[in-house]
Every structure is written in structure tokens, then in C-alpha cells.
Amino acid sequence: MRIACLGLGRMGFHIAGHLASRDGSDDVVVFDVVEELCQDWVVEHGGTAADSVAAAVTEASLIVTSLPSDRELDAVSAELVPLIADQAVWVDHSTTSARIARQTEGRVSVAGAHFLDAPVSGGVDGARRGALTVMVGGEYGAFARAEPLIGAYASQVRHMGPSGAGQLTKMTNQICVVGLCQALAEGLDFAARSGLDVENVVQAMLQGSSTSWQMENRADKMHEGEYDFGFSTTLMRKDIGLVLDEASALGVSLPVTALVGQFLADVDAMGGASWDWCSLMERQRHFGSASPTTDRQIES
Ligand code: NAD
């Protein structure tokens, strides 16, 4: 089976790698607008690099995309849809709006193929280990065909409902995690300023009611002030923007999500656009001794 993987960034590089190392006779073809990424991928995994979206997707039965945002998905869709093979399944792992997911699904289905919005959770480490959580929206029959292949790089693959439901589930995930990371930043800052041994405090809390994935995987980095890895402030700000747009259309109030979005704008202004977004800790350190009335935006 010919599999085309488009977008070889921090996530797509590993996703395509797991597909290439699956048992069987899959022919994995990759494309990224950054040519060096294609060359590096071929050196590491031995598949084929294409020189355009068109060359990659022609005759592919499965297409896997990991693109930054709505804009790139729309651009790829314009090139891809006229060439998509009959009954092919396109699995999109980009985090986008539910609106563009539904729009793309409509275009692809008119062309006789299938589109699944399938955003992921688990980060670069999850992609590297082949242990992502994948939340899928779209037609169930197409999901059932794609599920075993997605299993090459996921520990959990779930069908969430019709087109757009994957993106809405990912938005829910982001709503549930943003306040939690800010609370962790506040707690660690409070412990440090109280003179406690922060590492010891974290060990105690990991077995208690405040434990979380963030605490388990990010508390030490936050304590040490190491942010040069992971899911960037820029990408989290993009996700919060998608969430707030959707919430506004639904008439849902998300005050904590909106506030953390503003805090991440502060992190950006501190030079942290590319830092992992747990750098909310750095903002907390900066403002932690300020009075509540001044605990707001950095002057730009
Ligand atoms: P990235 O920016 O590292 O990779 C995106 C890749 O797409 C880049 O290599 C870029 O050159 C390529 N690209 C852009 N336009 C293209 C086009 N027209 N044709 C082919 N390739 C094109 O981003 P990432 O971190 O890999 O994230 C991908 C998606 O997954 C994003 O939507 C992100 O929000 C989501 N995501 C990322 C993480 C993470 O930890 N990085 C975690 C969960 C979800």
C-alpha cells in the first residue's frame, strides 16, 4: 500500500517513521516544504522523498498530514483534493478549527475519498515513542480502515463522532490542561518562596489529590527553569485561539482558558515564543511577588 506523509516537523517526522517501520510492504512517500527534513527522514527511515504534494499523494491509499494550522491545511487541500485516489483515506493530525475540518471533509468526499480530523495529544515524546492519543472525527467506516495504521504510532485511537468531533475533543483537552499548568506554576512558586524543598513537595503531591500528567512530566523542568523542548508557547496560543473562537460561537464562557491565553502572551513578550508552554512558570516567577493589581501584562 502506498502511504503519503506530508509535514515532517516535530510530530510528523516520527509519525512517518513509525509507519515506515511497520511490518509489511508499505511504500512510504514523504513531503515537506523544507527539503532538508525530507532528506534527513530518508537517511533515517529509507522511504522515498517526493518533491511536491502532488507527487507524494498520487495513487496513495492513505495520506497522513501533520501541519501547523488551518492556513497550511487549506493550502495542502487545494493541491491534494484534485489528485486524491478514489476511496483513499486522508488522516489529518494537525490541530485546526472544527470549521476547516468539516470544510475539508466536504471537499474530499465530493472527490470520492474520505477525510478524518485526527488531532493528537502526547507531545513530541509520545510521537517518538509511538504512544500518542488520537481523537478522530469523521465517517466510521473510514476510521475503521485507518485505525490499524494509526496504531503504529498511538497507544489510544478513539472515534469521537462526525467530522469536526476530533478537533472539538482536542479543544476540550486543551481547556482541561491550561488552568492546571498555571496552577502548578503557582504552587511551585509558592513552595519555593515558602522555603520548602520543592522536589520533596512534588514527590509528596504526586501521590496526592493534585497529581497530574503535567506534575509528573513538567514539574522538574519548571522548577529548574528549562523550557527548550516540547510544545511551544506559540502553538498553545494558537490552540487557545481556536478554543476561544469555538466557545464564542457556542456561547460558552471559558474565563480561566482566556486568562491563561493572556498569560502566554506575557511569556511570548518575555522572549518565550519557542519555549515549552510550561514556561508559564517563568511568568509566575517574574510576577510572583507583585500585588494582585499589578499582576498583569508586561509592557511591550
Ligand atoms: P511543526 O511546525 O514542527 O511541523 C509542521 C511541518 O509542516 C513543518 O515541517 C512545515 O515545514 C510543514 N509544512 C508546512 N506547510 C507545508 C506544506 N504545504 N506541505 C508540506 N509540509 C508543510 O509542527 P509540529 O510540532 O509537528 O505540530 C504539527 C501539528 O500537531 C500542529 O497542528 C500542532 O498544533 C499539533 N501538535 C503538536 C504537538 C507538539 O508537541 N509539537 C503536540 C500535539 C499536537
Side-chain angles (χ1 to χ4, degrees):
M1 174 167 67
R2 181 175 166 104
I3 301 175
C5 295
L6 312 178
L8 298 175
R10 280 167 290 188
M11 303 296 281
F13 195 93
H14 300 297
I15 289 172
H18 287 293
L19 284 168
S21 57
R22 247 170 45 97
D23 286 342
S25 55
D26 295 331
D27 168 19
V28 178
V29 182
V30 295
F31 174 69
D32 193 292
V33 284
V34 179
E35 205 185 321
E36 299 95 279
L37 286 171
C38 297
Q39 287 160 3
D40 291 351
W41 190 89
V42 169
V43 167
E44 202 167 322
H45 298 287
T48 312
D51 59 4
S52 64
V53 170
V57 302
T58 301
E59 293 178 15
S61 315
L62 179 78
I63 298 160
V64 177
T65 45
S66 303
L67 301 166
S69 68
D70 283 29
R71 192 164 56 97
E72 292 80 7
L73 176 60
D74 208 27
V76 165
S77 169
E79 286 184 70
L80 195 165
V81 173
L83 297 166
I84 197 164
D86 195 38
Q87 295 306 313
V89 179
W90 173 3
V91 180
D92 179 39
H93 293 309
S94 322
T95 302
T96 69
S97 65
R99 181 195 56 77
I100 198 153
R102 293 186 193 109
Q103 185 182 307
T104 309
E105 196 267 345
R107 286 185 193 150
V108 170
S109 85
V110 167
H114 309 275
F115 177 84
L116 300 170
D117 53 293
V120 303
S121 176
V124 177
D125 191 49
R128 189 179 295 114
R129 291 187 293 111
L132 292 170
T133 288
V134 186
M135 302 153 261
V136 187
E139 190 200 318
Y140 188 80
F143 168 78
R145 280 174 56 204
E147 188 185 9
L149 291 144
I150 299 173
Y153 47 87
S155 53
Q156 184 181 207
V157 189
R158 268 184 186 270
H159 186 247
M160 306 311 304
S163 182
Q167 296 298 347
L168 293 173
T169 305
K170 170 79 186 190
M171 289 178 203
T172 308
N173 182 81
Q174 302 305 64
I175 294 165
C176 292
V177 79
V178 288
L180 207 148
C181 189
Q182 173 61 23
L184 184 58
E186 291 178 17
L188 296 182
D189 189 41
F190 174 87
R193 288 173 196 260
S194 306
L196 291 169
D197 174 343
V198 175
E199 286 170 25
N200 202 22
V201 171
V202 170
Q203 286 309 313
M205 293 194 300
L206 277 171
Q207 308 304 321
S209 61
S210 63
T211 192
S212 64
W213 184 96
Q214 290 290 326
M215 188 183 288
E216 201 176 321
N217 294 282
R218 295 289 181 263
D220 57 341
K221 302 276 189 201
M222 292 165 80
H223 178 49
E224 286 155 17
E226 267 183 38
Y227 311 116
D228 191 16
F229 67 95
F231 188 64
S232 69
T233 299
T234 300
L235 281 180
M236 187 47 109
R237 290 186 70 202
K238 174 201 74 166
D239 287 9
I240 291 177
L242 294 171
V243 166
L244 295 178
D245 284 350
E246 191 70 40
S248 161
L250 292 169
V252 178
S253 163
L254 300 175
V256 173
T257 307
L259 185 62
V260 177
Q262 290 171 22
F263 286 1
L264 285 169
D266 293 345
V267 175
D268 197 326
M270 291 168 73
S274 64
W275 296 345
D276 184 87
W277 73 286
C278 74
S279 52
L280 278 168
M281 184 75 229
E282 217 45 41
R283 182 197 175 282
Q284 174 64 27
R285 283 202 179 99
H286 189 87
F287 287 115
S289 57
S291 72
T293 49
T294 58
D295 186 15
R296 273 298 319 122
Q297 303 264 358
I298 291 182
E299 299 294 326
S300 52

